[in-house]
Amino acid sequence: VCNDGDGTIRPDILLLGAPTDNRLFAGAELATKRADVVLVVDCDATTFPSAAILEKAKGRGAKVVMIGAGPQSRLAVSDVNLRASASHVLPLLLSRLREGRARVGRGSNLSDDGFAAMCYLAGHGTDHLGRTLEQTLSWVNWEIERQFDSTQWQFPLMTTSNICPEAPVPTRQDFELLAADKSVVTGMRRAFERMLKFYGFEWQAGEVRKALDWEDRFAYWALAPSHNDLRISRILGAMSLCGLQSEA
């Protein structure tokens, strides 16, 4: 805390409406230039000038991690989003750093696209529009039909999509790491089961079988060639690359 000289005690932060200390702001910019990771804690990252610093960090290749359970209106700027209490996450992080046991994780060998795919499928990141995997999995059938840029995130391939070039394009090495990550595989499996319902199938006893609404769903998508055929090809390819060969 800081003493303002009149006996007032306030947190050592820049409060809303308070003038910016140019010296401190310059120091923050310098620290951001050197940062590999920037933490955004319990903040929606919309207030300037700090929001401008965040954009500069992203432009220089830093990873942005948003931590907290409050409003996060700029999820699209984050690489990892931890929807958990900052009072719980930060002490654990600090403890690991102090103990000298902060190990480089499996994701350290991923390319940028592989890292983006890992975060999204594991439920910690968002797509190019700030949508989480959980949000896309909650869509009803007509919403899935109208979205042309979500399947590419749920089921990434090693080729760039013409429809959604913003989606990650992991390398073969990336896929080896992704396939070994339980949370990533679980995320893709959930997306797979949701798309089965979209097409009128279901997963039973290790097999793809017709669901009760099979005839209605079949009539909806299979009577003429469409983008839904391409979706099936993408799903099969991505699952094969990500360790779900039997499901594919």
Side-chain angles (χ1 to χ4, degrees), residues 151 155 192 195 199 231-240:
T151 308
F155 302 97
F192 162 61
M195 290 306 296
Y199 286 108
R231 279 175 167 169
I232 293 176
S233 299
R234 171 174 284 274
I235 292 169
L236 295 175
M239 290 199 304
S240 297

Side-chain angles (χ1 to χ4, degrees), residues 216-233:
D216 291 337
R217 295 307 304 161
F218 180 84
Y220 181 80
W221 66 266
L223 298 183
S226 72
H227 62 282
N228 287 311
D229 305 316
L230 300 178
R231 279 175 167 169
I232 293 176
S233 299

Side-chain angles (χ1 to χ4, degrees), residues 14-19:
L14 182 64
L15 300 175
L16 289 175

Side-chain angles (χ1 to χ4, degrees), residues 63-136:
K63 302 297 183 183
V64 174
V65 179
M66 299 191 78
I67 303 173
Q72 297 178 345
S73 56
R74 297 194 68 205
L75 283 178
V77 79
S78 67
D79 296 285
V80 177
N81 175 35
L82 299 177
R83 299 288 291 178
S85 170
S87 62
H88 175 70
V89 174
L90 293 182
L92 291 175
L93 175 61
L94 182 60
S95 175
R96 291 295 297 273
L97 292 173
R98 283 177 170 171
E99 292 172 3
R101 293 191 291 109
R103 296 172 294 177
V104 177
R106 183 176 288 153
S108 63
N109 294 321
L110 291 167
S111 68
D112 287 346
D113 278 17
F115 183 75
M118 179 191 71
C119 292
Y120 178 78
L121 288 169
H124 303 311
T126 61
D127 63 15
H128 60 296
L129 296 179
R131 303 170 302 196
T132 64
L133 174 65
E134 200 65 36
Q135 288 174 317
T136 61

Side-chain angles (χ1 to χ4, degrees), residues 15-220:
L15 300 175
L16 289 175
T20 302
D21 185 316
N22 292 332
R23 181 179 60 83
L24 293 178
F25 186 72
E29 279 197 316
L30 179 60
T32 304
K33 290 179 180 179
R34 299 171 176 172
D36 296 316
V37 178
V38 178
L39 303 182
V40 179
V41 182
D42 276 340
C43 175
D44 60 3
T46 59
T47 305
F48 281 82
S50 55
I53 295 179
L54 194 61
E55 292 174 357
K56 291 179 181 179
K58 287 287 291 184
R60 296 187 179 96
K63 302 297 183 183
V64 174
V65 179
M66 299 191 78
I67 303 173
Q72 297 178 345
S73 56
R74 297 194 68 205
L75 283 178
V77 79
S78 67
D79 296 285
V80 177
N81 175 35
L82 299 177
R83 299 288 291 178
S85 170
S87 62
H88 175 70
V89 174
L90 293 182
L92 291 175
L93 175 61
L94 182 60
S95 175
R96 291 295 297 273
L97 292 173
R98 283 177 170 171
E99 292 172 3
R101 293 191 291 109
R103 296 172 294 177
V104 177
R106 183 176 288 153
S108 63
N109 294 321
L110 291 167
S111 68
D112 287 346
D113 278 17
F115 183 75
M118 179 191 71
C119 292
Y120 178 78
L121 288 169
H124 303 311
T126 61
D127 63 15
H128 60 296
L129 296 179
R131 303 170 302 196
T132 64
L133 174 65
E134 200 65 36
Q135 288 174 317
T136 61
L137 293 179
S138 69
W139 288 342
V140 296
N141 288 333
W142 69 263
E143 290 178 299
I144 294 176
E145 173 63 28
R146 293 186 180 182
Q147 297 294 336
F148 298 95
D149 58 357
S150 58
T151 308
Q152 296 86 347
W153 282 85
Q154 294 175 347
F155 302 97
L157 294 174
M158 291 189 293
T159 54
T160 302
S161 167
N162 293 327
I163 302 300
C164 182
E166 300 88 352
V169 183
T171 65
R172 185 168 296 280
Q173 180 183 0
D174 288 336
F175 273 110
E176 292 177 359
L177 297 172
L178 294 175
D181 191 301
K182 182 178 180 180
S183 60
V184 169
V185 175
T186 298
M188 185 175 289
R189 179 188 285 275
R190 292 182 65 205
F192 162 61
E193 293 179 352
R194 178 63 189 93
M195 290 306 296
L196 282 181
K197 294 180 180 179
F198 174 81
Y199 286 108
F201 296 107
E202 59 186 359
W203 183 254
Q204 287 188 2
E207 293 182 355
V208 174
R209 299 178 181 178
K210 294 178 181 178
L212 293 177
D213 61 349
W214 157 252
E215 292 186 0
D216 291 337
R217 295 307 304 161
F218 180 84
Y220 181 80

